[in-house]
């Protein structure tokens, strides 16, 4: 007992708690628009999935409700298996991923009024639960296009993590979840990862952890994928740990 209290006073018993702390450098891969070729992922997506497993990484994939609707039972099973592997987390990426013309302006799904946003969020949540057996914890808006009602809608539906959430919009809308903000970019333009472009921003901006990196693997040819691999290798050398959005948020 005496020994126990000495260890306690020296702070030694607190050491395991220190190890349980979040790593100093975290990277979260936010890979959008996960898509299939009927019953299996497209070749470009499969290359990314294989790489994640082979290198013991983790990543997160944005799932569009429309694609869950048309997914075959076999493909739903495949998605569930990936989520259960613990290496990939699927998240709510809206229902339609479309822009519609209204009064001469293109309006995205999360630029509609509050009730419509709640509806679109809930429909995708329900599709995830019913067809995939997955409760999506995180959300990212298609085109990252939102309005002042988005934060309120996320709060109303109970979405705990907002990928590329905006601080001011979240505060004004009373959002209480975790914001994972954008700092540097993996892709130079949509679907084009570029190692030199990434490294330049990284060195100039000296971004804070977590790095939340957006990509669109549907358009990653082998050549583009090679740039992604270079970025992953660079971050690993820099001491970054790959985490999933919900895993990171759980430590907050
Ligand atoms: Zn998207």
């Amino acid at each position: 007992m005496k020994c126990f209290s000495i260890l306690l006073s020296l702070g030694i018993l607190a050491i395991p708690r220190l190890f349980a702390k979040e790593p100093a450098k975290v990277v979260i891969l936010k890979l959008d628009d996960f898509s299939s070729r009927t019953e299996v992922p497209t070749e470009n997506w499969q290359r990314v999935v294989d790489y994640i497993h082979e290198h013991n990484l983790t990543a997160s994939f944005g799932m569009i409700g429309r694609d869950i609707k048309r997914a075959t039972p076999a493909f739903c099973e495949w998605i569930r298996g990936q989520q259960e592997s613990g290496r990939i987390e699927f998240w709510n990426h809206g229902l339609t991923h479309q822009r519609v013309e209204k009064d001469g302006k293109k309006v995205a799904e999360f630029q509609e009024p509050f009730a419509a946003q709640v509806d679109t969020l809930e429909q995708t949540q329900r599709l995830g639960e019913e067809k995939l057996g997955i409760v999506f914890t995180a959300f990212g808006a298609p085109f990252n296009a939102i309005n002042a009602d988005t934060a309120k809608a996320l709060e109303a539906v109970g979405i705990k993590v907002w990928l590329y959430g905006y601080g001011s919009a979240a505060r004004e809308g009373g959002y209480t979840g975790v914001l994972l903000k954008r700092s540097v970019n993996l892709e130079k333009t949509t679907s084009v990862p570029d190692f030199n472009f990434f490294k330049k921003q990284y060195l100039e901006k000296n971004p804070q952890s977590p790095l939340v990196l957006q990509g669109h693997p549907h358009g990653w040819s082998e050549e583009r994928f090679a740039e992604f691999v270079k970025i992953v290798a660079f971050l690993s050398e820099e001491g970054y740990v790959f985490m999933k959005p919900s895993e990171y948020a759980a430590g907050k």
Side-chain angles (χ1 to χ4, degrees):
M1 202 58 202
K2 196 176 175 187
C3 179
F4 179 84
S5 58
I6 290 167
L7 287 174
L8 196 64
S9 65
L10 289 173
I12 287 171
L13 291 178
I15 287 174
R17 291 194 60 197
L18 283 177
F19 284 115
K21 253 179 66 178
E22 169 198 317
K25 289 178 169 182
V26 173
V27 60
I28 296 167
L29 293 173
K30 169 194 184 295
L31 304 180
D32 295 12
D33 315 330
F34 178 66
S35 49
S36 68
R37 191 181 43 203
T38 64
E39 299 212 334
V40 288
T42 60
E43 192 182 329
N44 289 352
W45 270 106
Q46 187 66 53
R47 197 183 291 121
V48 173
V49 171
D50 292 344
Y51 182 79
I52 289 164
H53 287 286
E54 280 161 20
H55 293 82
N56 298 327
L57 302 174
T58 56
S60 76
F61 294 179
M63 197 79 226
I64 302 163
R66 160 203 80 196
D67 291 331
I68 309 174
K69 253 187 214 171
R70 65 182 177 86
T72 60
F75 191 51
C76 290
E77 194 62 41
W78 185 93
I79 293 171
R80 192 178 312 125
Q82 291 299 323
Q83 175 97 2
E84 284 171 2
S85 78
R87 300 226 161 268
I88 294 165
E89 173 179 348
F90 293 87
W91 45 270
N92 185 330
H93 193 33
L95 183 68
T96 64
H97 206 300
Q98 281 175 351
R99 284 190 169 107
V100 291
E101 187 101 13
K102 279 191 179 173
D103 304 324
K105 277 189 203 155
K106 292 266 188 194
V107 177
E109 217 174 325
F110 292 91
Q111 293 173 322
E112 298 276 7
F114 172 76
Q117 293 194 35
V118 168
D119 181 54
T120 208
L121 282 170
E122 283 181 342
Q123 282 198 56
T124 301
Q125 288 297 111
R126 213 160 29 240
L127 282 162
E129 285 187 54
E130 288 170 4
K131 286 198 71 177
L132 308 175
I134 296 172
V135 178
F136 299 126
T137 304
F139 163 81
F143 321 107
N144 295 305
I146 62 152
N147 66 14
D149 287 325
T150 308
K152 290 177 207 154
L154 292 173
E155 188 68 17
V157 176
I159 302 280
K160 295 190 180 75
V161 186
W162 185 2
L163 293 154
Y164 282 8
Y166 299 95
S168 54
R171 265 192 310 279
E172 282 157 23
Y175 181 66
T176 59
V178 174
L179 293 184
L180 294 177
K181 293 184 187 171
R182 185 176 206 158
S183 53
V184 290
N185 293 315
L186 177 93
E187 295 180 333
K188 193 168 183 178
T189 54
T190 304
S191 291
V192 186
D194 185 317
F195 174 63
N196 290 330
F197 167 78
F198 170 79
K199 192 176 170 185
K200 188 166 180 281
Q201 296 162 79
Y202 177 83
L203 295 176
E204 281 172 6
K205 292 189 178 175
N206 190 23
Q208 284 186 343
S209 175
L211 285 187
V212 187
L213 301 178
Q214 175 176 277
H216 300 83
H218 182 62
W220 292 0
S221 59
E222 275 193 58
E223 199 185 358
R224 290 178 182 180
F225 173 74
E227 293 292 307
F228 165 72
V229 169
K230 277 193 218 169
I231 294 167
V232 170
F234 171 76
L235 290 171
S236 301
E237 277 166 28
E238 289 281 298
Y240 278 86
V241 172
F242 287 75
M243 287 181 92
K244 296 178 291 182
S246 64
E247 192 182 6
Y248 178 80
K252 291 279 106 193

